[in-house]
Amino acid sequence: MPTRTPMPRTRQPARGAHQTPARAAIDHAAARQTLGDLTDAYQWAVYARTLAHHGTSAAEQLDAAVLLAPLAALIGHADQAFTTYRDLVDLATAALGASHERTLHARAGLAAAHHRIGRCEQAIRDLADVYTTAERRHGPEASATLKALTQLACLYRDCGSPDISKRCLTVAATIAARYLTIGDPLRTQISDIARMPASENHRAVCTQLTPSWPVPATSLAA
Ligand SMILES: [Zn+2]
């Protein structure tokens, strides 16, 4: 899977005396994540989500879910990541609309969560819909479009469809070369992903019916 950039949080005014406990916990979780302490950040994100869930601020509920969903995936809580991404999609759709870039980002995260627990067909179908929605609404060169297409290539590759994966990456690289400057992080990420092998870990959970993974080097040597 590509390294996913964090979904941007709602812009907030400077900290002050009126900061709610949920917002303080969200900020603290984000700070711990920035420092690289993922376990601590995860625990604070769980706490923030509980506080936000009992509050009335839709922005805080959204931001708490934005923080917790990828952290749960990173820590290895695949089922919690799935349910949090599912809630995040609902919150983002209600607050921003179905084709807003943040909602599309959340939907791409939910597709990855499906894929992580072996719901491969659903993941690919949902992500393909994110891609076509992003392309239609934001254009082929938009970050949301290129990220969805690149992620789709990774899903196909991990599910044993390298030819379709290569076609997706070729389209993404062509668009990136046309619209993005050399050195643009997204353009660099697309070329990096083109050189990456399929995820060995995914094979244990993959449910695609006709995979054609490359023969491992160890088998060739036997
Ligand atoms: Zn799969």
Side-chain angles (χ1 to χ4, degrees):
M1 295 296 301
T3 304
R4 295 196 58 76
T5 48
M7 180 174 161
R9 293 191 290 130
T10 309
R11 286 182 189 279
Q12 293 299 314
R15 293 180 184 218
H18 300 298
Q19 191 180 43
T20 64
R23 179 58 62 190
I26 290 166
D27 286 352
H28 194 74
R32 298 309 302 171
Q33 185 175 19
T34 301
L35 291 171
D37 190 345
L38 296 183
T39 303
D40 203 30
Y42 164 75
Q43 288 167 349
W44 274 97
V46 170
Y47 181 51
R49 184 141 195 265
T50 303
L51 291 174
H53 185 71
H54 290 99
T56 56
S57 166
E60 287 177 358
Q61 289 176 17
L62 185 61
D63 284 348
V66 164
L67 267 173
L68 178 58
L71 280 167
L74 283 169
I75 294 292
H77 300 308
D79 290 334
Q80 184 185 35
F82 170 74
T83 55
T84 310
Y85 269 117
R86 192 181 56 196
D87 294 347
L88 175 54
V89 168
D90 290 343
L91 289 164
T93 303
L96 307 165
S99 55
H100 190 282
E101 284 196 311
R102 292 185 76 193
T103 306
L104 294 172
H105 194 113
R107 290 182 57 200
L110 179 59
H114 273 298
H115 189 248
R116 210 174 283 118
I117 56 177
R119 296 177 181 170
C120 303
E121 190 179 337
Q122 174 98 44
I124 289 171
R125 189 169 58 235
D126 287 358
L127 193 56
D129 189 59
V130 170
Y131 166 64
T132 52
T133 303
E135 185 185 38
R136 191 171 58 242
R137 179 67 188 264
H138 303 287
E141 75 284 13
S143 166
T145 312
L146 281 172
K147 283 179 181 173
L149 184 56
T150 307
Q151 187 184 344
L152 193 57
C154 292
L155 261 57
Y156 275 122
R157 182 183 55 200
D158 290 350
C159 290
S161 300
D163 293 343
I164 307 176
S165 173
K166 274 182 196 161
R167 287 207 291 276
C168 292
L169 278 175
T170 300
V171 173
T174 303
I175 295 169
R178 183 170 177 184
Y179 291 102
L180 305 180
T181 56
I182 295 173
D184 184 286
L186 185 52
R187 187 170 166 177
T188 306
Q189 188 185 30
I190 291 168
S191 354
D192 288 347
I193 286 170
R195 291 192 290 270
M196 285 167 59
S199 164
E200 293 288 332
N201 292 337
H202 181 66
R203 294 191 196 188
V205 296
C206 187
T207 51
Q208 281 296 83
L209 294 177
T210 54
S212 58
W213 289 299
V215 179
T218 48
S219 299
L220 286 171

